Amino acid sequence: MNKTIVELMQVPEERRDLNWLKNSLQSAIEVELSTLPPYLCALWSIKNQSEPAYQLIDGIGLEEMLHMGLACNMLTTIGGIPQINTSLPAYPGPLPGGVRPALTVYLAGLSKDYLKDVFMEIEYPESGPIVMALGETYTTIGAFYNAILTAFKDLSPPITGKNQLTGMVGDNDLYAITSIAEVEKAINEIKQQGEGTSQLPTAPDFGGELAHYYKYAEIWHGNELEYKDGKWQYTGKCIPFPDVYPMLPIPAGGYPSPSQEAKNALQAFDAQFMKVLNFLQSAWASGNKSELGKAIGAMRGLETLAVALMHIPLPEGNGVYGPQFKLAT
């Protein structure tokens, strides 16, 4: 059984061997993948794709896909095989590996509570100009990636360049990992795009856009973040909160007694989602770029199926269904 991230972080640095590194990269893949279902539920619940909030969340989702791809490339280049289609975390539930242990991640449509209680907690910066130190002792995702980079530098493992997948993910470049320098670039990109830097709420080395935490905070505050009067504050251009489908949080174990229409729609979504995961698994197991293309093609069909679910009222009449992201058998 693989160790949790918390357990991996408790291993002394001098005992972090190649197996530790492979296990850690697999855990990183699982964390990146686990963020996609909640982010996509919120994205697809927005009725008008021209809304600024839609554009912000869509960009974040594409970057999370990039981060998962970079973690897969880091694992395959040192001889590992990513496990993508074997398990997903249960929703509602914690993030994989025990990071942010007090956080419960659930699936729902976009709301201010969802932004504050889930998304901004997932992306909580390790440090930064907005977030003040509160004395927490939990492991952040950024701290975990720091440990992975340190292990790469300490071990200098053979980097084979095998089974590397490359291409554009939205506006971002998925590149091969063939050196320690490229490992460091990938980890810095993942961290900066998610959290910003210790001095800035942006990713200065990767386009200068706001990090995910601050983009979500812009939607929550309703204004763009700007540097004004010597400090960062949410006083910029208005970001109206969008009109959304009322997808209520999905209960533990999924919907207890869906109508036949809803059951068919739920199964159709899960089957399509499983296709995506299977293609991704095949792509990184073999380094076959055409399988990655098939995954991207299958992924494009998910939004239509999700929105179809959001047009089906719940039996109680107080909301609508949404995708459960269950592994289809």
Side-chain angles (χ1 to χ4, degrees):
M1 179 182 296
N2 288 339
K3 292 183 177 180
T4 67
I5 290 173
V6 171
E7 291 170 331
L8 289 164
M9 290 290 282
Q10 291 174 345
V11 175
E13 283 192 24
E14 64 273 13
R15 291 172 50 197
R16 295 177 182 176
D17 57 12
L18 185 59
N19 283 333
W20 183 94
L21 185 55
K22 289 180 179 179
N23 285 335
S24 295
L25 287 167
Q26 175 61 39
S27 294
I29 292 165
E30 292 169 7
V31 169
E32 300 295 350
L33 181 59
S34 75
T35 66
L36 286 174
Y39 292 177
L40 290 174
C41 283
L43 176 71
W44 294 333
S45 74
I46 299 173
K47 293 182 178 180
N48 186 347
Q49 295 187 6
S50 67
E51 293 276 5
Y54 186 98
Q55 303 304 318
L56 286 169
I57 299 173
D58 186 47
I60 291 170
L62 288 169
E63 287 179 352
E64 293 294 352
M65 293 176 196
L66 171 71
H67 299 170
M68 189 191 78
L70 290 172
C72 287
N73 277 352
M74 283 188 273
L75 179 55
T76 54
T77 204
I78 59 172
I81 300 176
Q83 300 303 310
I84 298 172
N85 63 348
T86 53
S87 65
L88 272 180
Y91 302 100
L95 285 171
V99 292
R100 308 308 311 277
L103 172 60
T104 297
V105 180
Y106 57 91
L107 303 180
L110 182 65
S111 69
K112 284 206 165 187
D113 285 345
Y114 204 21
L115 286 167
K116 184 71 171 178
D117 298 340
V118 178
F119 294 4
M120 291 167 67
E121 288 296 316
I122 289 173
E123 304 288 357
Y124 194 92
E126 180 187 3
S127 58
I130 301 283
V131 181
M132 304 300 291
L134 299 176
E136 293 97 333
T137 58
Y138 53 74
T139 297
T140 66
I141 295 172
F144 183 50
Y145 274 112
N146 285 343
I148 289 173
L149 178 57
T150 297
F152 262 107
K153 290 181 174 179
D154 289 346
L155 295 172
S156 294
I159 294 179
T160 68
K162 289 183 63 177
N163 293 354
Q164 300 294 284
L165 295 177
T166 60
M168 297 304 294
V169 182
D171 295 329
N172 301 281
D173 183 24
L174 173 62
Y175 45 87
I177 304 296
T178 59
S179 66
I180 294 293
E182 285 168 336
V183 169
E184 186 162 13
K185 177 185 175 183
I187 288 177
N188 285 338
E189 184 165 5
I190 291 169
K191 287 188 59 189
Q192 285 189 26
Q193 287 181 338
E195 303 181 354
T197 71
S198 60
Q199 292 81 35
L200 295 169
T202 61
D205 300 326
F206 303 95
E209 289 191 6
L210 283 180
H212 298 175
Y213 175 88
Y214 303 98
K215 287 181 179 180
Y216 282 136
E218 283 187 327
I219 302 172
W220 189 83
H221 284 279
N223 293 92
E224 290 183 353
L225 179 65
E226 62 178 357
Y227 191 72
K228 185 177 180 181
D229 299 330
K231 61 182 179 180
W232 291 95
Q233 48 191 320
Y234 296 95
T235 54
K237 183 179 176 181
C238 176
I239 298 177
F241 200 84
D243 189 20
V244 300
Y245 297 109
M247 175 188 165
L248 300 184
I250 298 178
Y255 296 108
S257 53
S259 65
Q260 190 60 50
E261 178 190 16
K263 184 176 181 180
N264 292 342
L266 289 164
Q267 290 174 344
F269 181 92
D270 289 341
Q272 186 75 2
F273 181 55
M274 196 70 210
K275 283 184 183 179
V276 173
L277 297 184
N278 286 338
F279 285 135
L280 290 174
Q281 180 68 50
S282 176
W284 264 286
S286 61
N288 189 333
K289 192 171 181 178
S290 68
E291 292 293 285
L292 181 59
K294 291 176 184 177
I296 294 170
M299 198 174 297
R300 292 194 182 105
L302 289 176
E303 182 166 10
T304 299
L305 294 170
V307 173
L309 274 163
M310 294 179 191
H311 280 83
I312 303 174
L314 291 170
E316 299 82 3
N318 58 344
V320 297
Y321 284 92
Q324 298 180 119
F325 285 91
K326 288 189 172 183
L327 296 183
T329 56

